[in-house]
Amino acid sequence: MKATEENSTRVVFLTEMGMKIFDLEFFRKGEVKLHYCPDALNRKFIINTLKEDLRLIMDSIPENEKLKISSDPVNDRFLFRSKAQPGKFNYIVDSRSMRIEKIVKTGSFRKKTEISFISNNRKDLDSVAIKHFNFKLQIHLSRLRETNNDVPE
């Protein structure tokens, strides 16, 4: 994920071997542009699911949203509950760092999607795990570390 100069965020999915799978651009006004997707994965259901998941990651807690807040002093956590349309969202926040650790989207009766933000040192985000419960889909996004050692001169 990288912010661009055009007030947008570009998201590129790469395999561990460096092959590009998806290239999406999210604009501030809500539009999303698909720059690249292989034909085998270019299905409306897959693209819309990715858009929704990534929007949740980027937007986190919506502004001007009425939230129910509860605390868990034993685990040093806060729980923010939102009833955005469609579905309900639970945001689990670490009370010391005030970082979102998990977002859980629920439907009428059960959990639909869980997004976990993983950090080894409570400071920098290392990865994001997305798990869907109503169909078999799990996505694990890892931060790429830029090094100058790999760049030929």
Side-chain angles (χ1 to χ4, degrees), residues 124-148:
D124 296 322
L125 185 63
D126 293 317
S127 60
V128 178
I130 305 169
K131 184 176 183 180
H132 290 268
F133 294 93
N134 52 349
F135 55 92
K136 285 188 174 187
L137 176 63
Q138 293 185 28
I139 301 170
H140 189 87
L141 307 172
S142 298
R143 168 186 255 181
L144 292 177
R145 305 262 185 223
E146 292 184 34
T147 61
N148 291 333

Side-chain angles (χ1 to χ4, degrees), residues 30-91:
E31 300 102 28
V32 179
K33 182 177 181 181
L34 179 65
H35 291 283
Y36 175 78
C37 177
D39 290 338
L41 296 173
N42 198 355
R43 305 288 182 261
K44 191 173 185 176
F45 174 75
I46 293 172
I47 302 300
N48 287 338
T49 300
L50 278 177
K51 287 178 185 178
E52 185 178 320
D53 290 348
L54 294 170
R55 178 111 22 232
L56 259 176
I57 291 169
M58 290 186 293
D59 291 346
S60 296
I61 298 175
E63 294 180 22
N64 303 321
E65 181 77 30
K66 290 185 179 182
L67 300 170
K68 290 183 182 179
I69 303 171
S70 58
S71 65
D72 180 2
V74 174
N75 295 316
D76 282 333
R77 306 284 184 269
F78 290 113
L79 174 66
F80 296 88
R81 288 193 175 128
S82 165
K83 290 186 178 181
Q85 295 297 325
K88 298 175 186 172
F89 297 89
N90 295 320
Y91 301 90

